[in-house]
């Protein structure tokens, strides 16, 4: 499922990040890369999300959130 569909306050593992090259490096610097564990802390207006990665909050716009795949960890 993509980040927009992920439930809040559940542990996730990012599985696929399909972003334009101009955005990909910056997102990787922020920790948004396959294999990273994260938690969706907030669903923002207009489809964006705020995720927590290793204690840091990262805001992801709706277009990028659509292109980042994650799985819920049990």
């Amino acid at each position: 499922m993509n980040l927009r569909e992920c439930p809040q306050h559940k542990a996730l593992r990012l599985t696929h990040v399909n972003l334009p090259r101009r955005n990909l490096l910056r997102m990787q610097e922020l920790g948004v890369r396959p294999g990273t564990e994260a938690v969706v802390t907030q669903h923002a207006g207009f489809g964006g999300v705020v995720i927590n990665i290793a204690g840091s909050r990262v805001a992801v716009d709706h277009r990028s959130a659509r292109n980042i795949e994650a799985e819920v960890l049990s």
Side-chain angles (χ1 to χ4, degrees), residues 2-73:
N2 65 42
L3 278 182
R4 291 176 61 180
E5 300 167 344
C6 290
Q8 288 184 340
H9 310 297
K10 299 281 186 185
L12 307 170
R13 177 173 292 121
L14 304 181
T15 57
H16 186 70
V17 180
N18 183 23
L19 297 174
R21 189 173 183 96
R22 66 180 184 270
N23 300 1
L24 186 59
L25 178 60
R26 180 63 181 145
M27 292 302 262
Q28 288 175 339
E29 290 173 342
L30 294 171
V32 179
R33 62 179 77 93
T36 300
E37 291 187 14
V39 176
V40 174
T41 58
Q42 181 180 359
H43 286 278
F46 304 106
V49 295
V50 178
I51 57 176
N52 183 324
I53 298 175
S56 296
R57 292 176 44 169
V58 178
V60 180
D61 68 286
H62 71 283
R63 288 186 187 111
S64 297
R66 242 190 346 231
N67 294 314
I68 299 172
E69 299 290 323
E71 63 184 6
V72 177
L73 300 175

